[in-house]
Amino acid sequence: QVQLVESGGGLVQAGGSLRLSCAASGRTFGSYAMAWFRQAPGKEREFVATIRWDGGSTYAGSVKGRFTISRDNAKNTVYLQMNSLKPEDTAVYHCATDSHYRGWHFYTSPDEYNYWGQGTQVTVSS
């Protein structure tokens, strides 16, 4: 059974940085895409970034240039480095993984992801 556990959230002032981690277990980590989504109160879950099994990545326009997704296959962990944080980045951040073995497509819809972590709260104060 695939399990994802996020960590690294917290309270930070606008302009600050945070690094989120997501530890995966239950299958061959390095063969599947990983993604980060976020959900603010009263809003739908929103795509943030995804990284393919080969390291290719793509980002939502709202975070491009500020956030960086990376993965360490030896540690079964995906990271989200968040810089220049803004109050509108405040949300619960979830990591997710799909079931497309060594897929080449960048999936940005939450419907394409089968496994989710419980989320970690990120709050950015102005």
Side-chain angles (χ1 to χ4, degrees), residues 7-8 12 15-22 36 48-49 59 63-71 78-85 89 93 122:
S7 61
V12 64
S17 298
L18 281 175
R19 188 195 195 201
L20 306 184
S21 300
C22 173
W36 288 96
V48 175
Y59 298 86
V63 307
K64 195 171 184 179
R66 301 188 297 123
F67 291 10
T68 302
I69 190 171
S70 61
R71 64 192 299 160
V78 63
Y79 304 97
L80 185 69
Q81 177 66 45
M82 305 186 294
N83 299 329
S84 302
L85 282 161
D89 295 318
Y93 283 70
V122 171

Side-chain angles (χ1 to χ4, degrees), residues 9 12 15 37 39 49 56 59 61 71 82 88 113 118 122 124 126:
V12 64
F37 287 79
Q39 189 164 19
Y59 298 86
R71 64 192 299 160
M82 305 186 294
E88 51 263 45
Y113 293 87
Q118 81 289 349
V122 171
V124 184
S126 57

Side-chain angles (χ1 to χ4, degrees), residues 4 10-11 13 16 26 39 52 58 61 63 65 69 71 74-75 85 89-90 93 96 101 116 121-122:
L4 303 174
L11 173 64
Q13 288 188 334
Q39 189 164 19
R52 283 189 320 225
T58 195
V63 307
I69 190 171
R71 64 192 299 160
K75 295 183 178 180
L85 282 161
D89 295 318
T90 295
Y93 283 70
Y101 179 79
W116 293 85
Q121 176 70 48
V122 171

Side-chain angles (χ1 to χ4, degrees), residues 14-44:
S17 298
L18 281 175
R19 188 195 195 201
L20 306 184
S21 300
C22 173
S25 62
R27 69 175 184 187
T28 306
F29 175 80
S31 296
Y32 297 91
M34 300 293 297
W36 288 96
F37 287 79
R38 65 188 181 186
Q39 189 164 19
K43 294 188 177 182
E44 294 187 352

Side-chain angles (χ1 to χ4, degrees), residues 79-125:
Y79 304 97
L80 185 69
Q81 177 66 45
M82 305 186 294
N83 299 329
S84 302
L85 282 161
K86 304 175 181 180
E88 51 263 45
D89 295 318
T90 295
V92 176
Y93 283 70
H94 298 268
C95 71
T97 187
D98 66 6
S99 294
H100 304 97
Y101 179 79
R102 295 194 174 184
W104 289 102
H105 188 75
F106 289 119
Y107 295 101
T108 61
S109 167
D111 295 339
E112 294 290 344
Y113 293 87
N114 307 90
Y115 305 100
W116 293 85
Q118 81 289 349
T120 186
Q121 176 70 48
V122 171
T123 303
V124 184
S125 63

